[in-house]
Amino acid sequence: MAKSSLLLLIIITLYFIVLQAVFASHSFSYPLTINNKRIVEEKTGQRVKLRCANWPSHMSVMLAEGLNKQTLSNIVTHISSFGLNCIRLTWPTFMFTRYFNQTILQTLDDLKLEEIKLGIMKYNNDFLNMTHPQAYAFVVKQLFSANIMVVADNHVSKPKWCCDSDDGNGFFGDSSFDPDEWVQGHTLAAQFFKNLSNIVAISLRNELRGPNQNVAAWYSNMRRAALAIHHQNPNVLMIFSGFYYASDLRFLKRTPLNVEPRNKVVFEAHNYPYWNPNWGNKSANSVCASVKSDLEENVGFVLSDDDYDSPLFISEFGMDLIARPQSDKQWRIQGDLRWLTCMLTFLAERDIDWCWWGLQGSYYLRQGKVDAPEVYGLNNFYWNGTTYPQFRKRFQLLLNTLQDPSSKAPYSHILYHPQSGLCVKADQNYNQIELGDCKKASGWKQEGDKIKLNGDHCLKSLGIEGDPAVLSSDCSSSDLSSSWKFISHSGLHLQDNNTGLCLDKDRNSSILVTNKCICVGHDTGCLDNPQSQWFQLVPTNVE
């Protein structure tokens, strides 16, 4: 071994040792386990909710994207600024089975990516002489320093953009997806990850797909890989995806997975707005109802199936954050926004763990294009700002833990307005209601046709279109103005039983008013935007 390489290895090793010592009093208690369909700390039983973003490291350079634009420490600091506690850091099988000893510099030179190499040299020069696994570990350690967990996701076998049904990476037996090499890759990766304590989970395979999908091969190979992973690294959770781009787990209804230990098993699913083409040409209420029904039927059932104690992790969902409504993509953009509001209600209702696609604003090389942009990324193209400044406001409820099996607090509800990301609260005089941040927004409860706050005040309509909704201490059954029901295909409209008006956000303020209900009938072609009238009672037992 050359002296320079030996010196670099010593420096990296010392760096990791120092990090372990400095962050020994880490706020998360690893490892994690499963209890009552929740990811929890093994030591305390306290809920650990994964709120993540995807950070690709699986493509042809086999390096976390963006290191040619910003220092690693700046990127990690930016992750924390989004309120995230987790990164789904992708990796290709071949990184461990074929390129284990190859350096980042060698790969960049092989790909003739001179400009990318100069950028990495400027911002993160130390990476160039690291091997691909060393570089992956270095990123994981930097995330550890910011109290960020890692889901190590086996995204593909051959390092490349994902996914097409015929790209050779789709299912066991495809040209680049040899099951034996895949198990070998997981064995090597699990062993390598063993001393990286903030790698809390390994996702066995991203988006299985293509004509070769079959149940027998899924069970045989998933069980084999899970056994190898757990043998090498018994601390990590193991995350399993189903068929058709991680959209379908229904085969589990017929045959349980039966992987031991059961308290390490998590299931994952993906969803994107373009999977349903009707967002722009049918009623948002009916499309949202259809999307949530499909999610429940295809993947959500694991949360209510007694055969499993496993949580569900929505490990990819996202939309175009760059396009603007005035562009020629206007209908698609409006559909994307309605899809996101609908998805937020699906995630909030059962406080599901989630992961946004993606973090990255650019790629070193994507499908032949050097320095390619990513329109779904939270970071902008230069990685020095965000394309989605409203992210923390819009996701504020989901950035909190709402349900915890270790909590002794009684359940109440938050009245959630997913379009704004805000929650319904009483004003200072306990008279009007308005939208505000979701801190201390619980205390709502539905009792029959009454929507009560703190048990003694009821939501009341004044019965006049455009007038504010108020709180009243009169909750008598004879008072129809304080009688409500959830209606429409989406089940998200709160209608006053007396006049038929719906709760709505005032266009010019945070005050809630009552207005004519939007697209709540059976006309699935109604294209008016109902999102301002979408509300949801979200259960919580966390103070």
Side-chain angles (χ1 to χ4, degrees):
M1 180 182 293
K3 288 184 178 180
S4 59
S5 298
L6 179 60
L7 180 60
L8 178 63
L9 182 59
I10 292 171
I11 291 171
I12 292 171
T13 302
L14 288 173
Y15 176 79
F16 285 174
I17 292 171
V18 170
L19 273 183
Q20 289 284 10
V22 170
F23 297 102
S25 59
H26 211 250
S27 63
F28 287 120
S29 175
Y30 305 128
L32 305 181
T33 188
I34 305 300
N35 178 33
N36 196 23
K37 299 185 183 291
R38 298 294 185 188
I39 298 170
V40 300
E41 293 179 351
E42 189 174 274
K43 182 183 293 185
T44 67
Q46 185 174 346
R47 169 89 187 275
V48 177
K49 179 179 178 180
L50 301 182
R51 44 186 196 270
C52 319
N54 283 273
W55 190 359
S57 184
H58 67 273
M59 293 175 65
S60 52
V61 178
M62 291 176 283
L63 177 68
E65 303 289 346
L67 297 180
N68 62 324
K69 301 287 181 73
Q70 293 292 323
T71 64
L72 176 60
S73 60
N74 282 349
I75 293 173
V76 170
T77 298
H78 208 191
I79 293 169
S80 296
S81 74
F82 290 120
L84 304 172
N85 67 359
C86 162
I87 285 293
R88 185 175 181 245
L89 191 63
T90 63
W91 57 276
T93 304
F94 292 178
M95 187 174 87
F96 285 96
T97 60
R98 303 188 187 187
Y99 301 108
F100 190 86
N101 293 315
Q102 184 161 306
T103 67
I104 303 297
L105 180 59
Q106 288 172 320
T107 298
L108 290 169
D109 286 343
D110 289 346
L111 295 169
K112 297 180 172 56
L113 295 176
E114 189 64 27
E115 289 298 318
I116 301 298
K117 181 173 72 175
L118 291 174
I120 295 172
M121 190 181 297
K122 176 181 178 180
Y123 290 105
N124 296 282
N125 185 57
D126 289 346
F127 275 89
L128 291 175
N129 289 317
M130 293 182 194
T131 65
H132 292 286
Q134 285 172 343
Y136 191 97
F138 200 87
V139 171
V140 170
K141 286 291 183 177
Q142 188 70 40
L143 291 166
F144 179 88
S145 73
N147 198 20
I148 295 172
M149 297 173 286
V150 173
V151 173
D153 170 62
N154 178 236
H155 213 71
V156 289
S157 291
K158 182 179 180 179
K160 61 184 299 186
W161 171 250
C162 178
C163 301
D164 292 312
S165 60
D166 59 353
D167 61 6
N169 280 280
F171 199 73
F172 307 109
D174 285 2
S175 60
S176 295
F177 197 170
D178 175 68
D180 293 333
E181 184 175 9
W182 176 70
V183 172
Q184 180 194 15
H186 268 301
T187 302
L188 294 169
Q191 186 177 33
F192 186 82
F193 297 155
K194 191 171 184 178
N195 294 319
L196 300 170
S197 61
N198 61 317
I199 294 185
V200 297
I202 294 176
S203 175
L204 275 71
R205 189 65 172 201
N206 174 72
E207 293 197 350
L208 295 164
R209 59 198 178 276
N212 293 327
Q213 295 175 99
N214 68 88
V215 170
W218 188 92
Y219 280 102
S220 172
N221 290 298
M222 287 293 187
R223 287 167 175 164
R224 194 156 60 106
L227 184 64
I229 291 168
H230 187 68
H231 178 72
Q232 294 294 334
N233 191 344
N235 286 334
V236 293
L237 303 173
M238 296 176 290
I239 303 178
F240 298 82
S241 67
F243 294 153
Y244 306 109
Y245 296 86
S247 70
D248 191 351
L249 290 165
R250 287 176 295 174
F251 54 89
L252 293 172
K253 297 178 182 180
R254 298 185 294 274
T255 308
L257 177 58
N258 291 333
V259 161
E260 295 293 339
R262 291 165 66 98
N263 65 346
K264 292 293 185 180
V265 174
V266 178
F267 293 109
E268 67 178 320
H270 297 173
N271 197 270
Y272 286 98
Y274 56 83
W275 286 7
N276 190 313
N278 295 318
W279 282 107
N281 54 43
K282 287 191 177 180
S283 164
N285 279 313
S286 62
V287 180
C288 181
S290 175
V291 166
K292 291 171 72 172
S293 175
D294 288 347
L295 279 165
E296 184 62 34
E297 168 68 19
N298 296 336
V299 296
F301 69 89
V302 300
L303 294 174
S304 53
D305 192 328
D306 292 337
D307 285 330
Y308 298 99
D309 193 36
S310 301
L312 179 66
F313 177 35
I314 301 297
S315 55
E316 282 188 28
F317 71 114
M319 67 179 196
D320 187 340
L321 301 174
I322 302 296
R324 295 290 178 263
Q326 64 268 27
S327 74
D328 58 358
K329 301 177 182 178
Q330 182 172 353
W331 269 112
R332 200 202 75 197
I333 295 161
Q334 291 181 6
D336 285 5
L337 293 171
R338 296 175 187 189
W339 163 86
L340 178 58
T341 305
C342 181
M343 277 299 295
L344 294 180
T345 68
F346 177 78
L347 294 170
E349 183 176 6
R350 285 185 284 193
D351 199 21
I352 294 172
D353 302 87
W354 54 269
C355 187
W356 180 264
W357 182 278
L359 178 71
Q360 69 281 8
S362 65
Y363 299 93
Y364 306 124
L365 180 66
R366 173 178 167 176
Q367 296 174 298
K369 181 175 177 57
V370 177
D371 203 17
E374 171 56 271
V375 298
Y376 282 50
L378 293 176
N379 281 301
N380 65 22
F381 178 75
Y382 301 100
W383 294 69
N384 61 0
T386 181
T387 58
Y388 195 2
Q390 304 86 14
F391 179 82
R392 286 200 73 153
K393 178 183 176 183
R394 188 74 189 277
F395 278 71
Q396 64 172 290
L397 187 64
L398 298 186
L399 287 169
N400 289 289
T401 298
L402 305 175
Q403 299 172 28
D404 185 344
S406 70
S407 173
K408 305 301 182 185
Y411 270 92
S412 64
H413 289 81
I414 294 166
L415 189 51
Y416 178 44
H417 186 251
Q419 183 193 37
S420 65
L422 301 174
C423 296
V424 182
K425 304 169 83 167
D427 66 7
Q428 290 183 341
N429 298 320
Y430 228 75
N431 182 19
Q432 284 188 340
I433 55 172
E434 58 192 7
L435 293 175
D437 68 63
C438 292
K439 294 178 181 177
K440 299 182 179 179
S442 61
W444 293 93
K445 187 177 182 181
Q446 184 171 16
E447 294 182 0
D449 61 357
K450 306 296 181 183
I451 306 295
K452 292 185 175 182
L453 179 60
N454 296 328
D456 56 2
H457 282 72
C458 285
L459 181 64
K460 182 173 181 175
S461 167
L462 298 180
I464 301 174
E465 189 171 344
D467 271 11
V470 298
L471 288 172
S472 171
S473 57
D474 181 7
C475 296
S476 62
S477 59
S478 59
D479 184 11
L480 294 179
S481 62
S482 62
S483 172
W484 301 82
K485 61 184 176 184
F486 281 98
I487 63 166
S488 80
H489 290 294
S490 67
L492 297 171
H493 288 261
L494 198 50
Q495 184 184 52
D496 155 26
N497 284 333
N498 188 38
T499 63
L501 297 176
C502 280
L503 194 65
D504 200 350
K505 179 190 177 299
D506 181 67
R507 289 186 177 183
N508 301 312
S509 72
S510 60
I511 298 296
L512 295 184
V513 298
T514 52
N515 277 319
K516 181 180 178 182
C517 301
I518 301 172
C519 294
V520 297
H522 296 290
D523 179 11
T524 59
C526 179
L527 299 181
D528 293 335
N529 187 358
Q531 291 180 89
S532 66
Q533 295 184 351
W534 282 359
F535 292 87
Q536 180 184 38
L537 282 170
V538 176
T540 180
N541 68 337
V542 177
E543 295 292 346

